[in-house]
Amino acid sequence: MSLRATVLTLLAMLAFAGNSILCRLALKETAIDPASFTGLRLLSGALTLWFIVRLAKGDSVGKGNWISAFALFAYAAAFSLAYVQLSAATGALLLFGAVQTSMIGYSVARGERLSTMQWLGLALAIGGLIILLLPGLSAPPLDAALAMLGAGVAWGVYSLRGRGTGDATRVTAGNFIRALPFALLLSLFSWQSATLDSMGIIYALASGALASGVGYALWYAALPLLATSAAASVQLTVPVITAIGGIVLINEPLTTALVVASVTILCGIALVVLNNKKTP
């Protein structure tokens, strides 16, 4: 892997982990509500991606579609709602597991054959999610966990719809812009419970502009420089980076259940993506 690819990939993974950390910080440490966080995140992400596309391409965005935009909005809204109660690490692990499992499940449903090792990996990943959700002192609240699993499925749908659609940065910018009316409707629907403060706004804007907008642009710049296997496996670092960030920045505990579930889920998904016969 070249130095440029390494730097772009590292910055993108830090940005993706930063989304979980910023959202959890905002909803735990400030007064901002999930709907307002979602709206500000999507707005700042749309503006940032629009600016990046204009700067790099010199033309209008003009890409994306409404179904993908709704999937993007559903992901962002459920993500924010879940982080009212979930720790940064638990949320990232549930999200990552749901994204990968839903995409793998879609491929199987479409007729793709998995090897024995891939089936074992899928079973491990699902088992890890079950371990994480088992009732006990360290189990996350079920409603929040289900919200994050829903966010993961929505992001899986968004990712599947984005395959082969051309310039990924332009498409993402267009979808962020199209997601704004949905965010506005959510804000209007929940305006009576809306609360804002300066730090919450800053966290939300940073999540949209830096962790989302710049993060996606960096990742799409790195992807052409990576082998498929490297692109798939490097994403396994995001829940790990998030867990470290949660411990250091938010003083979150590292539980035994989280460690066991993390190792099980990440090893399971690694078995699936690294044993893909289509991977060069």
Side-chain angles (χ1 to χ4, degrees), residues 62-276:
K63 295 289 183 179
N65 63 80
W66 288 104
I67 297 176
S68 292
F70 181 77
L72 174 64
F73 159 74
Y75 146 74
F79 182 91
S80 300
L81 182 63
Y83 266 130
V84 172
Q85 300 182 75
L86 296 180
S87 69
T90 300
L93 189 61
L94 287 169
L95 177 74
F96 181 80
V99 171
Q100 297 297 326
T101 302
S102 62
M103 292 180 69
I104 294 165
Y106 175 81
S107 297
V108 172
R110 295 275 293 180
E112 181 177 324
R113 293 185 177 181
L114 300 184
S115 67
T116 301
M117 292 300 292
Q118 286 179 307
W119 278 114
L120 174 61
L122 183 58
L124 280 173
I126 295 173
L129 289 173
I130 293 172
I131 290 171
L132 189 62
L133 297 175
L134 283 175
L137 293 176
S138 59
L142 183 59
D143 55 345
L146 291 176
M148 189 59 82
L149 291 174
V153 172
W155 187 256
V157 171
Y158 181 80
S159 299
L160 288 168
R161 289 184 56 81
R163 289 178 173 176
T165 54
D167 188 327
T169 305
R170 286 188 65 185
V171 170
T172 303
N175 286 328
F176 261 80
I177 291 171
R178 284 173 172 79
L180 293 178
F182 299 119
L184 177 60
L185 287 175
L186 176 63
S187 295
L188 291 175
F189 180 77
S190 57
W191 70 270
Q192 290 183 319
S193 60
T195 53
L196 293 169
D197 66 13
S198 58
M199 284 308 301
I201 292 172
I202 290 171
Y203 287 141
L205 294 177
S207 176
L210 301 177
S212 298
V214 174
Y216 295 142
L218 289 169
W219 179 234
Y220 296 141
L223 273 178
L225 308 176
L226 301 174
T228 304
S229 58
S233 58
V234 74
Q235 296 178 63
L236 296 170
T237 64
V238 174
V240 178
I241 295 171
T242 304
I244 294 171
I247 294 168
V248 174
L249 300 175
I250 317 178
N251 198 31
E252 293 182 343
L254 187 63
T255 65
T256 302
L258 180 61
V259 172
V260 173
S262 299
V263 172
T264 306
I265 292 170
L266 298 182
C267 287
I269 293 172
L271 282 175
V272 176
V273 299
L274 298 181
N275 283 280
N276 189 340

